[in-house]
Amino acid sequence: MFNMLKAAVIKETRIIFRDKEALAILFILPAAFVLIMSLALQDAFREQAGIKFSMLIVNKDKGEVGKSLVEAFTESHYFDVIIPESIPDTETIARETNDGKYQFALVIPEKATSGAANNSRYLFTGLKKYKKTPVEIKLYVDPAIRGDHRSVILATLNKSIKEIENTILVKAISKMPGAPGTVDPGGNKKPKLFSEVLDPFKNRISDKPSPTSVQQNAPGWGLLAMFFLVIPLAGTLVRERDEGSLLRLQTMAAPVSILLAGKIVPYFVVNQIQIGLILLEGVYLLPLLGGEKLELGLHPEAIIPLSFAISFAAIGYGLMVAAFCRTAEQATSFGATSILILGALGGIMVPKIVMPPLMQDITVFSPMSWGLDGFLAIFVRGADVSGIILEVGVMLAFGFICLTIGIVRFKYKLTHA
Amino acid sequence: MEDKAFVAIRKVSKLYSNNKLPAVDGIDLSIRQGSFFGLLGPNGAGKTTLLSMICGLLAPTSGSISIGPDSVNNRKIRNNGLLGLVPQELALYPTLTAGENLAFFGAMQGLSSAVLKNRIKACLEITKLDARVNDKVENYSGGLKRRLNLAIGLLHEPKLLVLDEPTVGIDPQSRNLIFASLRQLNNEGMTLIYTTHYMEEAEQLCDDIAIIDSGKIIAKGTLDELLHDNQCQSILFRTNNPLSSALIEKIAALPFITKITSANSKTEILIGNDSSNSNILADVLESIKNTGLDITSLTMGATNLEQLFLQLTGTQLRD
Ligand SMILES: Nc1ncnc2c1ncn2[C@@H]1O[C@H](COP(=O)(O)OP(=O)(O)OP(=O)(O)O)[C@@H](O)[C@H]1O
Ligand SMILES: [Mg+2]
């Protein structure tokens, strides 16, 4: 049995490593992509320079708070501030931002200033008559806005509010000599007088910190490279079927499980080499060329189960493609096309954070999206193995389903001619 | 022959799911141990389909096939290496060398490394591939590939070797080499099933023959039986000028003559079984005398299998 497996693995390995085109697709192409894209997009990932957003500000407040906020946004280079002549109702504002008439709309409620002052008094005196009701400033967002832009604006807004709050608190203290308690501007992150402005599209991905260029590109193109193994895998398998080797093998002693393992093992190893080389490229080669070093996060060992799961998904997908294709050419072209589509959908070419929410929702259908999420979790959020269990599970399930469909289909084709 | 069948094919039919007519239609055959069995048929006759079922690669729609005591779908047949298949397609890995191909397939037959080493050597010798063992198969000629295809089928010394048109597209040298190897294997006791549409191959090699067409057996027996049971005496001659139609009619009217075909200067006459042919030739020559025609060549005797085959299957092209 072991002899058979060994011979099957050796044969498949020889076939892979003698296929120059496959090697170029599997190793050279993605390595080049990582290099080019990481360097090219380095600045784009740092900040978006020169972008302007239109923002409608509906200021119902007559006091300081409203004035300060309007000023803050008007002064910023990033915003074209629109002040409506008459105050529109909430529904109109919601509809118009949703339609993209302006990208953001900020609504400052009536009596925001006095409310905040009231709250500050309650804070210092604890008197019931100054009962605390946080002032609610609302932000409406065009759903087509990129997630990273959304989070930047949100952060800016909350920062401005916090500043205003500090001013109010400082003023309140100075008016109340001998009052107990101290103000610690910036100490507690959450505003006390205002409620925090939340992202209307929260739970998408805006809560995730942004990756650097190489943190996005290295695992992204690495993933694509791993899935590219579908091309040689499906190609050789279909050729074996066409050329009769598979039929001949069926008259021989070797069981199907050995034939299958003989395929899976070498491709699995190739996958691990691929991702290993690409990560090494990001960590060691890229800095030498003036790029950013690839930071692997706090638990680089979590990469191992992730890349195992990705490989399993890719191989399962390859076997399924092979089972459904009639010719090797078909397997090659369908394999390549479908992987590019899954890659685009998975946020490889265009990072998910810049996709609008609807597109982000669709990415769950690409296994590469899960793979990339796993890598980003490890690199950017410093996740350990427990932090990527969902991603690993989804990839394994995907691979298992593909493999099962592929085997069933292959058996059916061979016996139901 | 029926009593000691090694391969017993019983009322086997195969209807492919996307076809209307069965590719194999109620075939009954017994192949005795040690025979060199020829399966003849034109393109699309159902030869490959039948062989696939014998090898357990395709389930018959109805009927049963057994090799020795076991049904062909019994896993024992595979595990014991009873069966060797030399497929019609070249089932080889083009980017591997001959040696690598042999090593892989041998291991898949379950041969241990020590045995395999010896068997590879032996098979390379039989097929005279020793000198090219380290060349990649993609650089092989058609003949070399066919020989390697055969060598792989022989690796595990099967008791039954199934060959599907093993000499397609090769030169006479390679063909003769393959023939010689097969004869020797048969002499050593191996049972062979050999399909072809080259009649002279079957004539040279096989002792039992079945002719199939449209999935049915239309004749079977030994070569002698086949030729004797059918109208298989003929006279073939060439003349310096074509025969006139009057002359053709005259010859056709002679006793015992079942068929005459004459085109350009070549004439072929089939003679019925029940004749004692000695005077027919004289009759024919007599009719040609005084017509001003000269006979440039003349042969007479049993038809070869080719003529029988064409007679049985019709002369039109298939597929
Ligand atoms: N997989 C298949 N699906 C459907 N029909 C098939 C299939 N394989 C063969 N056939 C049909 O069955 C018939 C017999 O084919 P088969 O290959 O057995 O003939 P053959 O005698 O081997 O021909 P050849 O001499 O060309 O190899 C043909 O009509 C063919 O078109
Ligand atoms: Mg055939």
Side-chain angles (χ1 to χ4, degrees), chain A residues 198-210:
Chain A
L198 297 176
D199 186 347
F201 298 110
K202 189 121 173 127
N203 299 329
R204 298 279 163 99
I205 54 157
S206 57
D207 55 330
K208 294 179 188 166
S210 325

Side-chain angles (χ1 to χ4, degrees), chain B residues 247-284:
Chain B
L247 181 56
I248 293 173
E249 267 171 45
K250 191 177 159 195
I251 295 173
L254 290 171
F256 302 118
I257 288 184
T258 52
K259 193 178 174 197
I260 172 167
T261 47
S262 183
N264 298 323
S265 51
K266 185 181 168 187
T267 304
E268 190 178 349
I269 297 167
L270 286 180
I271 304 161
N273 278 340
D274 43 356
S275 66
S276 52
N277 58 359
S278 54
N279 40 15
I280 293 176
L281 180 59
D283 290 348
V284 171

Side-chain angles (χ1 to χ4, degrees), chain B residues 11-88:
Chain B
K11 297 197 178 63
V12 165
S13 294
K14 175 69 196 180
L15 176 65
Y16 286 109
S17 51
N18 46 350
N19 290 4
K20 285 202 186 69
L21 292 173
V24 166
D25 193 359
I27 283 189
D28 234 15
L29 271 180
S30 297
I31 297 167
R32 66 187 166 76
Q33 186 141 26
S35 83
F36 200 137
F37 191 92
L39 191 62
L40 300 188
N43 286 130
K47 303 184 293 295
T48 302
T49 305
L50 183 59
L51 289 196
S52 300
M53 291 190 287
I54 292 173
C55 296
L57 296 173
L58 199 61
T61 312
S62 63
S64 68
I65 303 177
S66 56
I67 301 176
D70 299 309
S71 161
V72 286
N73 41 36
N74 192 325
R75 178 86 218 177
K76 239 165 76 186
I77 290 179
R78 277 173 68 176
N79 289 343
N80 297 344
L82 197 64
L83 182 94
L85 170 65
V86 179
Q88 185 170 1

Side-chain angles (χ1 to χ4, degrees), chain A residues 117-187:
Chain A
N118 207 26
N119 289 343
S120 74
R121 267 173 234 127
Y122 172 73
L123 208 61
F124 292 117
T125 61
L127 292 178
K128 283 258 168 57
K129 65 170 176 175
Y130 303 125
K131 195 166 166 287
K132 185 186 149 186
T133 41
V135 176
E136 206 184 333
I137 292 169
K138 248 191 112 145
L139 184 72
Y140 296 82
V141 183
D142 174 1
I145 282 288
R146 286 169 42 166
D148 58 335
H149 290 163
R150 220 169 51 232
S151 34
V152 169
I153 272 87
L154 219 59
T156 317
L157 178 61
N158 278 319
K159 204 172 127 234
S160 305
I161 293 173
K162 185 85 186 155
E163 273 165 19
I164 293 166
E165 182 178 270
N166 284 341
T167 326
I168 295 170
L169 289 175
V170 169
K171 237 186 238 168
I173 292 171
S174 60
K175 275 185 190 162
M176 285 185 207
T182 47
V183 188
D184 173 20

Side-chain angles (χ1 to χ4, degrees), chain A residues 211-222:
Chain A
T212 63
S213 177
V214 64
Q215 278 178 328
Q216 156 76 28
N217 282 303
W221 297 102

